[in-house]
Amino acid sequence: MPEATAPADPPKTTPVKLSAPVRALHKLGLRRDIDLALHLPLRYEDETRLAPIASLRDGDVAQVQGRVLECRVEARARRQLVVRLADLSGELVLRLLHFYPSHQKTLAAGQTVRARGEVRSGFFGREMVHPEFRAVAEGAPLPQALTPVYPSSAQLPQAYLRKAVGSALARAPLAELLPAALLPPGLPPLREALQFLHQPPPSAALATLQDHSHPAWQRLKFDELLAQQLSQLQAQQARARLAAPALRRVPAGLAEQLLAALPFKLTAAQQRVVAEIGADIAQPQPMHRLLQGDVGSGKTVVAALAAAVAIDAGWQCALMAPTEILAEQHFRKLVGWLQPLGVTTAWLTGSRKGKGRTAMVAQVGSGEAMLVVGTHAVIQHDVAFARLGLAVVDEQHRFGVAQRLALREKLNAQTLEPHLLMMSATPIPRTLAMSYFADLAVSTLDELPPGRTPIVTKLFADDKRDAIIQRIRDEVARGRQVYWVCPLVEESEHLDLQNATATHAELGAALPGTLVGLLHGRMASAEKAAVMSLFTAGDMKVLVATTVIEVGVDVPGASLMVIEHAERFGLAQLHQLRGRVGRGAAASVCVLLYSGPLSPTAKDRLKAMAETNDGFEIARRDLEIRGPGEFMGARQSGDALLRFADLQADGALLEQARALAPRLLREHPQAAQAQVERWLPGGADYLKA
Ligand code: ADP
Ligand code: MG
């Protein structure tokens, strides 16, 4: 029988009392042999050589072996153990500032001791402070391999972990799954690669192990990337087998009427993506498409046109936004566009309860409401659509994995699957698009509507506050509107609020006769809506807000945004916030206030914001700084999405994995399946969400 691939967890029986180190292993997620086999060293120590004591130089990290001449406790400023160790070439002091009687025993005069540490030239000659040491027999052999140092915890001694990994490695099911001829040349078999990484020979080039460029590392990364590509292909194929309503655009239909009624002409980019989406939803298989476009590029009208096509074909459309404010704004906009054309629209959010909600849910269930706009309340289990043909998810990366999975389930509930359009202003860098979103069709709006003046971004230290308030006065005098954004203090929602409230009072006092509003996450939604509508109508000139306004809010009269404590925000988030201004024809300014002193990296990050308005460039820099989790909406989990491969560094391997995946799936489906199960146990749900 061939080796099994991913052995199931041990059967759950009556709880056994686990030993402390085993519990510590489990805590690190090391349960199965394969988990341990894939638990790679952080670094290595070379214990394969002994250095003659006379050859040691200041700063060397070395291993020596000798006989203890003397072991005594010295009572200086603090008690310490001083040990004189000698080999044939010379003498060395081992100094221990913390010690136990057991140490004195190990280091007693006459013992042969092997010690490893950094050499310092002290007043009394060469010494090692707190070296690693143990007593050995006179001619005890040296290890044949470099000694691995593993990521571990306080409860888990390295020695125990080394043994556990060693025996797990021997048992782990690591049979070669991939036909050798299909592997990129130069990569060792998996078992060999792991053997090498856990126990490299003394001759191994440490630099290539350390920077993960060694072929053994490459093999691991390749396998991981391949599994990911395969799982996405499988998802894609599964989707292709599903049936969806073919939504065809009719001549002189709703979409045409909407276009004619719009106060603007679509940009070339909008026309292109409308055509791409139109071609997809006309197919009898469900669309799975991401529409990415920088803030302000006009994604909403593209969604509205797709909705019009679906509704014309007799199917319902759902549009979900991550916040109530944004959902409400979409609702107003879409109602404004589609109601005059005879479309009935429903509105569902978490705060809509009681009779109003029951009535809406009934309209959705009967199919009377053709367009349903809301937050994730739209996918709650008591909401059943009569005929859902198209689901649009705005700012999809802001939804958590659980919500995206809930949406999937809702979509799967019908005999015919609806088409899915996701929208995001956070562009996915190419490498990410190729790896996590390989399965996703992408449309890009790479053009802003005409007549926009680029936003100018400026950095100021917080002590320039007065000058900035003067600037706000000027702006308001010219009939413009201003956002003032206060940061989210992660540790304390309360502080956060205090901060926003204080700023609100400060601005109110500094701007007599001007209506200054306050918006934060703790307000009731009716209150929020009231403030937002005053601001949207232009009656309120200044809005102090926490990041609740972050996504999608569209008030064209706003031309100045001040972001307080800008250093606390992520780049993508700053870009989103900044995108709330510059939506009308007026030249807009974004002021990033920071309270110093800033670290050089923090300063660089803020400078990057001032240097570019290009969301792609910002996303690229953000990816460098924060890693891919951010883009996946997986930041809650904090999990690294790839354990071994690094999308920045391993683009070439990713290309190879991407090229191999379809062929492997076609010609060796069982091996492909085994590969996915080995590397992505648990199905990597976020990939499907
Ligand atoms: P985003 O892509 O950030 O969601 P929106 O859809 O909110 O952008 O559009 C931003 C603003 O630009 C809105 O006021 C919208 O009505 C307007 N807009 C969209 N398309 C065009 C266009 N082709 N010409 C002029 N204005 C447009
Ligand atoms: Mg938007």
Side-chain angles (χ1 to χ4, degrees):
M1 210 180 99
E3 280 180 291
T5 48
D9 281 331
K12 290 201 177 63
T13 46
T14 40
V16 211
K17 220 165 152 37
L18 298 174
S19 69
V22 171
R23 277 204 309 273
L25 279 179
H26 285 192
K27 231 178 178 168
L28 289 178
L30 305 175
R31 291 170 174 272
R32 307 168 306 163
D33 287 337
I34 183 114
D35 299 332
L36 281 154
L38 292 177
H39 190 65
L40 293 190
L42 282 175
R43 59 189 171 83
Y44 303 90
E45 280 169 2
D46 189 351
E47 296 176 0
T48 64
R49 285 175 264 247
L50 292 177
I53 288 176
S55 74
L56 299 180
R57 285 203 214 106
D58 210 15
D60 283 356
V61 175
Q63 178 173 248
V64 297
Q65 182 170 317
R67 192 182 269 281
V68 176
L69 300 180
E70 184 191 12
C71 173
R72 64 168 198 279
V73 176
E74 278 184 10
R76 300 219 209 156
R78 63 197 289 185
R79 257 165 57 88
Q80 45 190 264
L81 191 66
V82 177
V83 177
R84 281 170 54 219
L85 187 76
D87 68 4
L88 295 173
S89 72
E91 223 186 284
L92 174 76
V93 166
L94 310 181
R95 191 180 297 278
L96 269 62
L97 303 175
H98 310 276
F99 59 95
Y100 296 103
S102 62
H103 294 143
Q104 278 166 282
K105 222 161 129 193
T106 307
L107 296 169
Q111 293 271 43
T112 300
V113 166
R114 198 172 279 174
R116 193 174 171 286
E118 189 177 335
V119 181
R120 297 207 312 212
S121 299
F123 188 66
F124 302 102
R126 279 181 291 258
E127 61 176 45
M128 287 180 181
V129 180
H130 277 282
E132 285 169 38
F133 61 86
R134 64 198 167 96
V136 292
E138 187 73 63
L142 288 160
Q144 294 302 297
L146 299 179
T147 309
V149 180
Y150 291 103
S152 188
S153 59
Q155 298 78 32
L156 200 57
Q158 284 292 330
Y160 182 91
L161 192 50
R162 274 176 205 140
K163 263 202 200 119
V165 170
S167 49
L169 187 59
R171 283 190 309 256
L174 292 170
E176 202 59 26
L177 299 171
L178 310 175
L182 295 186
L183 277 176
L187 298 189
L190 185 62
R191 182 177 284 286
E192 214 172 274
L194 282 171
Q195 197 78 43
F196 186 91
L197 293 175
H198 285 293
Q199 285 139 17
S203 63
L206 269 181
T208 64
L209 288 179
Q210 229 60 282
D211 73 6
H212 301 179
S213 65
H214 191 279
W217 259 103
Q218 300 278 313
R219 172 64 209 257
L220 249 68
K221 298 187 199 194
F222 179 76
D223 272 39
E224 181 179 41
L225 290 167
L226 181 63
Q228 188 199 41
Q229 294 294 313
L230 286 169
S231 105
Q232 302 217 7
L233 269 184
Q234 287 175 329
Q236 197 172 8
Q237 293 183 350
R239 189 168 299 117
R241 286 192 291 272
L242 299 171
L247 309 173
R248 295 211 177 78
R249 185 159 165 177
V250 283
L254 258 186
E256 254 58 43
Q257 294 167 36
L258 173 57
L259 276 176
L262 287 174
F264 49 76
K265 215 175 138 299
L266 295 189
T267 62
Q270 282 171 322
Q271 290 175 19
R272 190 187 67 241
V273 305
V274 165
E276 286 167 1
I277 293 165
D280 269 11
I281 60 178
Q283 299 302 313
Q285 286 88 38
M287 169 173 77
H288 190 59
R289 186 172 280 274
L290 174 72
L291 170 57
Q292 58 180 22
D294 211 343
V295 286
S297 59
K299 295 184 288 292
T300 317
V301 69
V302 173
L305 284 164
V309 173
I311 293 165
D312 237 3
W315 291 81
Q316 289 170 297
C317 172
L319 191 148
M320 266 179 25
T323 67
E324 218 156 285
I325 290 181
L326 186 54
E328 160 129 25
Q329 182 182 296
H330 278 318
F331 181 70
R332 284 173 198 273
K333 197 154 234 174
L334 293 169
V335 165
W337 282 337
L338 293 170
Q339 195 113 296
L341 305 178
V343 175
T344 310
T345 309
W347 159 246
L348 274 178
T349 66
S351 66
R352 172 151 240 168
K353 298 210 169 76
K355 277 207 191 108
R357 178 181 156 83
T358 316
M360 286 290 172
V361 172
Q363 280 191 5
V364 175
S366 71
E368 185 192 339
M370 293 305 279
L371 178 64
V372 184
V373 182
T375 58
H376 60 270
V378 167
I379 47 168
Q380 257 146 34
H381 55 267
D382 66 330
V383 182
F385 286 83
R387 285 159 64 76
L388 183 60
L390 172 68
V392 182
V393 183
D394 194 17
E395 308 291 351
Q396 62 91 26
H397 63 290
R398 306 302 316 238
F399 284 94
V401 172
Q403 287 166 343
R404 302 206 316 242
L405 285 173
L407 174 66
R408 274 259 125 240
E409 257 163 44
K410 177 117 293 184
L411 301 191
N412 285 337
Q414 303 185 151
T415 18
L416 285 184
E417 288 251 328
H419 299 279
L420 179 59
L421 176 64
M422 291 165 274
M423 307 203 287
S424 174
T426 304
I428 304 173
R430 201 183 107 78
T431 40
L432 265 186
M434 273 171 51
S435 50
Y436 297 111
F437 300 101
D439 163 32
L440 195 64
V442 178
S443 290
T444 306
L445 284 175
D446 50 7
E447 180 187 0
L448 293 180
R452 303 256 172 93
T453 327
I455 305 162
V456 175
T457 301
K458 294 181 175 162
L459 294 186
F460 288 105
D462 199 41
D463 56 13
K464 297 285 185 304
R465 238 176 141 88
D466 288 344
I468 285 157
I469 292 177
Q470 184 53 45
R471 176 76 198 246
I472 295 178
R473 236 174 249 129
D474 297 345
E475 211 69 12
V476 171
R478 285 151 72 199
R480 307 266 173 71
Q481 289 169 278
V482 178
Y483 290 103
W484 185 297
V485 183
C486 301
L488 190 82
V489 181
E490 299 263 351
E491 321 81 72
S492 158
E493 206 182 330
H494 180 66
L495 258 184
D496 178 19
L497 205 58
Q498 235 174 25
N499 185 3
T501 318
T503 305
H504 177 234
E506 178 191 355
L507 290 183
L511 303 164
T514 303
L515 187 54
V516 178
L518 175 63
L519 193 68
H520 59 75
R522 289 266 197 93
M523 284 160 61
S525 26
E527 252 183 298
K528 276 193 236 169
V531 171
M532 234 15 242
S533 74
L534 277 175
F535 193 66
T536 311
D539 298 331
M540 182 182 284
K541 295 298 180 195
V542 180
L543 181 61
V544 177
T546 56
T547 46
V548 289
I549 60 147
E550 180 184 341
V551 286
V553 173
D554 183 36
V555 179
S559 58
L560 173 61
M561 170 171 287
V562 181
I563 303 178
E564 212 175 332
H565 283 297
E567 75 279 2
R568 294 193 196 155
F569 293 91
L571 288 187
Q573 207 182 8
L574 285 174
H575 184 62
Q576 278 279 349
L577 282 167
R578 174 170 69 178
R580 299 312 109 216
V581 292
R583 306 203 136 223
S588 295
V589 174
C590 174
V591 172
L592 303 180
L593 277 183
Y594 61 87
S595 34
L598 287 186
S599 72
T601 13
K603 194 128 203 189
D604 280 352
R605 283 160 34 90
L606 292 184
K607 274 200 191 132
M609 287 304 298
E611 278 161 20
T612 179
N613 271 318
D614 177 349
F616 270 93
E617 177 59 19
I618 287 166
R620 197 186 58 73
R621 297 200 195 179
D622 215 31
L623 180 67
E624 277 172 15
I625 298 167
R626 287 150 74 98
E630 187 71 9
F631 289 90
M632 305 293 302
R635 58 180 160 179
Q636 307 94 313
S637 73
D639 280 346
L641 297 162
L642 284 171
R643 284 180 65 188
F644 304 108
D646 169 349
L647 292 178
Q648 303 289 323
D650 300 318
L653 280 179
L654 176 57
E655 300 271 3
Q656 286 169 319
R658 195 166 138 85
L660 175 57
R663 178 161 174 206
L664 196 65
L665 205 53
R666 209 170 44 239
E667 296 174 9
H668 306 274
Q670 273 157 3
Q673 184 55 34
Q675 178 78 3
V676 171
E677 279 164 18
R678 174 181 284 171
W679 289 88
L680 305 172
D685 275 343
Y686 53 81
L687 291 176
K688 298 181 195 130

